[in-house]
Amino acid sequence: MRMVDLIIKKRQGHELTDEEIRFWIKGYVDGEIPDYQSSAMQMAIVFQGMNNREIATLTDAMLHSGEVLNLSNIKGVKVDKHSTGGVGDKTSLVLGPMVAACGATLAKMSGRGLGHTGGTLDKLESIPGVTIAISGERFVNQVNDIGCAIVGQTGSLVPADKKMYALRDVTGTVESIPLIASSVMSKKLASGSDVILLDVTVGEGAFMKNVAQARQLAHIMVDIGRRLGRDARAVLSNMSEPLGLAVGNSLEVKEAIAALQGHGPEDLMELCYITGSIMLEQAKVFSSREKARIALEDAVKSGAAFDKFVKMVKAQGGDIEYILHPEKFEMAKEIIPIYADATGYIKSLDALTIGVSSMKLGGGRETLDDVIDMSAGIVLNKKVGDQVKEGDLLATLYTNKPKDIYEPIALDVLHTFQITSEYVEHQKVILEVIE
């Protein structure tokens, strides 16, 4: 079998056999197939696509290219949630403790932020003392004791994905649904959870810009889970505007704390209640989503969900005084209010502009080597559908950057609030559920 023949076969639009796909992935990880041939294959897939059987086989070959975690020492059904990324997405920080308080077990490996999308690990690390690098034994013990842990992915998981993604990023092959689906699902499946809830974000602040693309990706990932013996389900969530009000690491942690205490923004809470209900049903903790939602709401009202978050932070070395007293978080030196220049309703609020603006203020990274300012970011005061008067506070910028940097960013933020005299409805956060 020769790699060049497989490249030509896929370039001509033919299906690859399971044996051919496994030959490619094993040879590439072992160093027998060079970067340029793997890159050529990925470009052929961009143009010709793959069917569901090919995608599932590719995912399986990738997930078995390295270590596959065995979480059998963790009690109960292990649940996991994955978001395809967005702006202001602090869902895992809220959802994990909520489902754990209701009897599920969340053993989650998360990622870092890049560009305009935030990373759960960066948000956690904005809490002084928190570590996301813990041993396998400590990870298992924490989940068994508390019911939840959120840690970084070990280097030995899915080496094929690391190599392939590095190529995709520099060869214009990132935007391929088969390659995206296999990348996401190989990591989730290798992480060892029993059931997976996929939050496929859609809109300007997401990787998928339209519902049709997002729906296709969600269906494929759910199908991969089914073919490989896991209960995977998905929701399509709105990322045309940021999720919640806070964008930026410690700012989002403070919003997550407020949410767990029952004071979270409506869209964030609704996303957590809907996705949490599905996860609890998947884990067979509750027989219906209606019962699961009641339990989630009770966990927030009673303080049980907040208590889980405090215990998780403490177990991972964090100073819980910051959780009990969020005012202890360091505040940025420059605080810049943005005021409305017209009266009416917020018609649109571009999540991409807000995410990029937060990054430029210091709240994100353009390259993996960039150092994040944990105090930087943006807190919104108005969202789509809200009524405003000229002079009302729209948002507040937080930064340690000099004036010549933050002034043009402030103008960008002001201009992304589109105000109209006509009535505008508030946006739905969940667009579809796919299972």
Side-chain angles (χ1 to χ4, degrees):
M1 195 179 296
R2 297 193 314 158
M3 188 62 193
V4 65
D5 296 326
L6 305 189
I7 295 168
I8 294 169
K9 182 178 181 180
K10 176 49 68 177
R11 189 193 70 197
Q12 293 175 342
H14 302 298
E15 292 182 27
L16 298 177
T17 67
D18 292 351
E19 182 186 13
E20 288 168 340
I21 292 169
R22 295 185 190 282
F23 169 81
W24 164 34
I25 297 303
K26 185 178 188 306
Y28 184 47
V29 172
D30 290 347
E32 296 165 3
I33 292 172
D35 280 351
Y36 58 82
Q37 285 191 315
S38 191
S39 180
M41 175 61 84
Q42 290 180 137
M43 186 62 78
I45 291 169
V46 169
F47 286 119
Q48 298 293 353
M50 292 180 120
N51 63 27
N52 283 10
R53 191 266 313 158
E54 288 178 290
I55 299 170
T57 300
L58 174 59
T59 304
D60 192 51
M62 290 169 64
L63 84 89
H64 287 107
S65 65
E67 179 187 5
V68 177
L69 291 187
N70 181 356
L71 301 183
S72 60
N73 289 332
I74 294 178
K75 296 172 287 190
V77 179
K78 278 73 72 179
V79 301
D80 197 0
K81 169 257 173 194
H82 174 79
S83 170
T84 55
V87 179
D89 186 356
K90 70 285 296 177
T91 311
S92 293
L93 301 182
V94 183
L95 183 61
M98 283 171 60
V99 298
C102 293
T105 301
L106 183 99
K108 179 169 175 54
M109 293 191 173
S110 284
R112 298 196 177 278
L114 185 61
H116 73 279
T117 61
T120 299
L121 298 184
D122 301 311
K123 292 162 195 174
L124 269 178
E125 286 183 329
S126 73
I127 304 168
V130 163
T131 178
I132 50 84
I134 65 179
S135 69
E137 182 182 2
R138 183 176 166 189
F139 178 64
V140 168
N141 289 339
Q142 179 179 324
V143 177
N144 278 332
D145 291 344
I146 299 168
C148 58
I150 301 176
V151 300
Q153 183 177 312
T154 67
S156 56
L157 286 183
V158 201
D161 181 63
K162 294 180 181 67
K163 291 190 71 172
M164 290 171 68
Y165 198 91
L167 273 188
R168 287 167 59 205
D169 205 31
V170 296
T171 58
T173 54
V174 171
E175 295 178 8
S176 161
I177 285 179
L179 297 178
I180 296 168
S182 57
S183 173
V184 170
M185 291 301 289
S186 62
K187 287 178 286 193
K188 288 291 103 181
L189 293 167
S191 297
S193 289
D194 301 310
V195 301
I196 303 164
L197 190 284
L198 301 155
D199 178 5
V200 181
T201 54
V202 56
E204 288 306 311
F207 195 71
M208 296 288 133
K209 303 300 182 187
N210 63 68
V211 172
Q213 280 185 322
R215 185 184 296 120
Q216 182 186 4
L217 176 61
H219 275 294
I220 288 173
M221 291 194 294
V222 167
D223 182 75
I224 290 170
R226 180 181 59 78
R227 288 172 182 266
L228 298 182
R230 303 289 176 86
D231 181 350
R233 305 184 197 182
V235 298
L236 306 188
S237 69
N238 180 18
M239 193 50 71
S240 59
E241 66 175 347
L243 179 65
L245 300 173
V247 180
N249 295 282
S250 67
L251 298 172
E252 291 189 49
V253 170
K254 288 194 278 188
E255 184 165 270
I257 292 168
L260 287 165
Q261 294 175 327
H263 309 299
E266 187 176 343
D267 59 344
L268 172 61
M269 298 310 299
E270 186 66 9
L271 179 63
C272 289
Y273 286 135
I274 292 176
T275 54
S277 297
I278 296 170
M279 291 167 72
L280 290 172
E281 183 185 55
Q282 286 178 283
K284 296 179 171 56
V285 176
F286 292 94
S287 58
S288 73
R289 292 177 196 173
E290 292 74 21
K291 291 178 181 178
R293 176 158 185 150
I294 292 169
L296 289 164
E297 291 174 351
D298 287 345
V300 172
K301 289 175 187 172
S302 69
F306 177 69
D307 185 55
K308 287 289 184 184
F309 185 62
V310 172
K311 288 178 177 176
M312 183 182 79
V313 169
K314 185 176 182 179
Q316 293 182 216
D319 185 345
I320 63 169
E321 285 300 305
Y322 284 79
I323 310 304
L324 301 174
H325 305 284
E327 65 276 7
K328 287 177 67 72
F329 280 97
E330 184 178 350
M331 190 72 73
K333 293 184 177 66
E334 301 293 340
I335 301 174
I336 305 102
I338 307 295
Y339 298 107
D341 56 5
T343 295
Y345 294 87
I346 306 296
K347 181 181 179 181
S348 65
L349 172 58
D350 181 28
L352 179 59
T353 298
I354 296 296
V356 170
S357 296
S358 176
M359 179 190 72
K360 290 178 178 178
L361 292 169
R365 55 170 73 85
E366 291 188 71
T367 72
L368 285 172
D369 296 327
D370 288 347
V371 177
I372 290 178
D373 177 354
M374 294 298 187
S375 67
I378 300 170
V379 174
L380 307 172
N381 201 54
K382 300 289 183 181
K383 296 190 71 176
V384 172
D386 287 346
Q387 192 171 12
V388 297
K389 295 179 180 178
E390 185 176 350
D392 281 355
L393 180 68
L394 295 176
T396 305
L397 277 53
Y398 296 84
T399 188
N400 291 301
K401 301 284 188 183
K403 189 174 183 179
D404 63 321
I405 290 179
Y406 72 68
E407 276 194 336
I409 297 172
L411 280 176
D412 288 341
V413 173
L414 172 63
H415 293 152
T416 199
F417 281 90
Q418 297 295 308
I419 300 174
T420 178
S421 59
E422 298 176 0
Y423 173 77
V424 177
E425 290 188 352
H426 289 96
Q427 298 193 338
K428 288 175 59 177
V429 65
I430 297 286
L431 306 177
E432 287 183 31
V433 177
I434 293 169
E435 47 199 323

